[in-house]
Amino acid sequence: MARLLTSSSALRWGTVTSSQSVLLRAYSSGSSDTEYLRRSIVPTMHFQKSLPRLPIPKLEDTIKRYLNAQRPLLDDVQFKKTEQLALNFQNGVGKQLHEELVQQDKQNKHTSYISGPWLDMYMCARDSVVLNFNPFMSFTPDPRPDYNRQLIRATNMTVSAMRFLKSLRAGNLEPEIFHLNPARSDTLTFRKLIRFVPASLSWYGAYMVNAYPLDTSQYFRLFNSTRIPKPNRDELLTDEKGRHLLVLWKGNFYVFDVIDRDGNIVKASEIQAHLQHILFDTTPTPEFPLGYLTSEERNTWAILRQQLLDNGNEEALAKVDSAVFCLCLDDFPIKDSVHLSHNMLHGSGLNRWFDKSFSIIMTEDGTAAINFEHSWGDGVAVLRFQNEVFKDSTQRPAISPESCSAPVDSSKAVQRLNFNLDDSLKAAVTNAKNKFDTSVNALSIAMMEFKKGGKKFLKTQKLSPDAILQLSFQMAFLRQYGKTTTTYEACSNAAFKHGRIETIRPASIYTRKCSEAFVMHPSKYSPAELRSMLQECSKYHRQLTKEAAMGQGFDLHLFALRYLASSKGLSLPEIYQDVPYAQINHIILSTSTLTSPALQNAGFAPVVPDGFGVAYFVHDDWIGCTVSSYPECDVRQFVQCVHQSLDDFFSVLQDKPLK
């Protein structure tokens, strides 16, 4: 669930760090044109050709960073062995693999060295996409309560989504740019000038004013796209000829056109009428809801999909696959934030099609979220879409609560898809549902809100808010389980052509020392000494963040070298057979951060049975996180320990001694 460049900033999961969010142009400015979000002065793909390429780190730097990450997790004997294996790799087979990787990269300048292997990793994964890959990001409610009615908001969001689609394909969606000096670059003058710089040089023109365009190569997969299950390796399908929306309601599938034959958005009043027709449809819930099959193990799902095709469902599946996106209308309201997280992350499975590139899920009370399939892209594209749809649907709504639906015959425009299921497929749906229920019922989610301060206070203390949150997770785990553990923080490489996600490894010798001081020996140290440890952790975390954002982490490089060795049929190098290598990639704390005015909440499941999935949000005056776990871990105790850690930090920063 990653990003950027300078010492002071990094983008994660499709957004910037909380301290830099103001500098990223996340919204297009308004427009009176009802077909588009706006007509950008600078073409959408203007910078794509000249984006810098993702660098391959020096092998010795990668090994050094790998060992630095292992140091707090191992005792002296274990570390010495791991260190020797790593150095042997650096001076032996690793050196040869690295040289070959560099040569391959030079021959493929149109992309990045990680793009192919990364997609392969996703496509070859056989686990269910539910819980294992698909995250959710929920929308902030419309500030006007009447506009949060399900029919009104669904219509407005659908129209805004189509404005985004048309803006993107017309090339007039504003490029995504990271502004380090917005007074110089986030201006009309800059846009008027940079549009005349040739595309082969445009990135350098932006760089001259400290502006950094981001990769937009993933955007085309947003619409008309789905993941197709295949034996051993899935495929991504994008069919831009599709003009219809897929709507799920009570487990039934409906389609109707939202783009007409001339390429214009269907009138909002007609979209409203079609959605109203669906909401009033009394067709009972299917006895065997097909959406459960998308939650299956991928090889199983591949076999079942072929059976569906063989049973005469080719046309119906083609409609599902080629739809612009999936709108899931749920027939119940949201009870609370935990219920929201469960529903948007997985729901009951009845009313979902998890393979679509993204689905907008909307409940009876207008609570909305995006659930997206992760293989095709990262949060950069999805959050940009969410930002634009939220802004457009709230500031330029296509309909109002007083609007009347068009007097059209929706029974002709709306098609309910019927699927032919034989006894074997019916049994498969039942089996998939049982497995789905078992999986999601094992997941627990807990929320934490810390109201004593946030980003503003931490910045006055010259501390990185992200570093402090990561330290709070380290400290919470130590308090709960008595040890330091493997931790992953997503950092996007979207500043580079076809960049994906690099890893920040927040657990360090500094966080271990600081955590042990706060948890095990608090009375031994003065507030000044503890503050000094916080500063040390913050400084080192900033360094890790800068390195990862600049393409100088170690995880992607080691992953690519292993992938290359495997593709050549070589025996697995010893460094990868080392138990600590497996342990450091068994991620106990999987973390990612998001902040945006359009975002109310977000979350994902743990990546291992004995781990936590931690989505966190650092606001100006408060801090929050949504944490998930399976039965092996106590998620409620963990969030209590995170809160305790933040309490201790803020006490120390106010010169109060710990007891």
Side-chain angles (χ1 to χ4, degrees), residues 56 77 102 111 136 209 254 600 630 659:
I56 300 177
V77 174
V102 170
T111 187
F136 83 89
V209 291
Y254 306 82
Q600 180 189 40
Y630 294 113
K659 297 178 182 178

Side-chain angles (χ1 to χ4, degrees), residues 228-292:
I228 305 293
K230 296 284 184 178
N232 300 323
R233 188 185 190 278
D234 290 355
E235 296 176 1
L236 292 175
L237 173 71
T238 300
D239 182 0
E240 295 187 358
K241 297 189 296 294
R243 297 183 285 112
H244 58 282
L245 175 70
L246 172 66
V247 181
L248 269 62
W249 168 246
K250 295 185 177 181
N252 290 300
F253 292 64
Y254 306 82
V255 294
F256 63 85
D257 285 352
V258 286
I259 301 290
D260 67 23
R261 292 180 180 178
D262 296 322
N264 299 314
I265 301 173
V266 170
K267 290 180 181 178
S269 59
E270 293 185 21
I271 293 175
Q272 179 184 9
H274 299 337
L275 290 174
Q276 188 171 48
H277 171 81
I278 292 170
L279 291 170
F280 285 174
D281 186 22
T282 58
T283 301
T285 297
E287 186 178 358
F288 301 97
L290 202 65
Y292 284 113

Side-chain angles (χ1 to χ4, degrees), residues 466 469-470 473 489 591-594 614-618 624-625:
D466 190 64
L469 261 292
Q470 286 293 337
F473 305 145
E489 180 182 359
T591 75
S592 197
T593 184
L594 291 169
V614 185
Y616 60 103
F617 322 95
V618 187
C625 60

Side-chain angles (χ1 to χ4, degrees), residues 28 33-38 139 152-170 172-173 219-224 242-247 256-259 263-266 268 271 275 323-328 357-362 368-370 381-399:
S28 296
D33 191 333
T34 59
E35 291 287 310
Y36 300 93
L37 296 175
R38 77 181 298 268
F139 286 90
I152 302 300
R153 200 174 198 201
T155 302
N156 283 328
M157 282 194 169
T158 298
V159 173
S160 294
M162 291 305 95
R163 288 171 179 166
F164 185 101
L165 178 152
K166 291 199 64 179
S167 299
L168 173 64
R169 291 181 180 171
N172 60 37
L173 181 72
Y219 282 36
F220 85 100
R221 292 283 191 193
L222 268 168
F223 299 102
N224 302 101
R243 297 183 285 112
H244 58 282
L245 175 70
L246 172 66
V247 181
F256 63 85
D257 285 352
V258 286
I259 301 290
N264 299 314
I265 301 173
V266 170
I271 293 175
L275 290 174
V324 287
F325 69 92
C326 180
L327 174 64
C328 303
S357 55
F358 75 90
S359 297
I360 292 181
I361 302 167
M362 190 171 299
I370 293 173
V382 181
L383 188 65
R384 173 68 186 277
F385 170 76
Q386 181 165 350
N387 285 339
E388 297 285 8
V389 167
F390 177 76
K391 181 182 181 184
D392 189 68
S393 64
T394 55
Q395 296 186 6
R396 289 200 309 151
I399 65 169

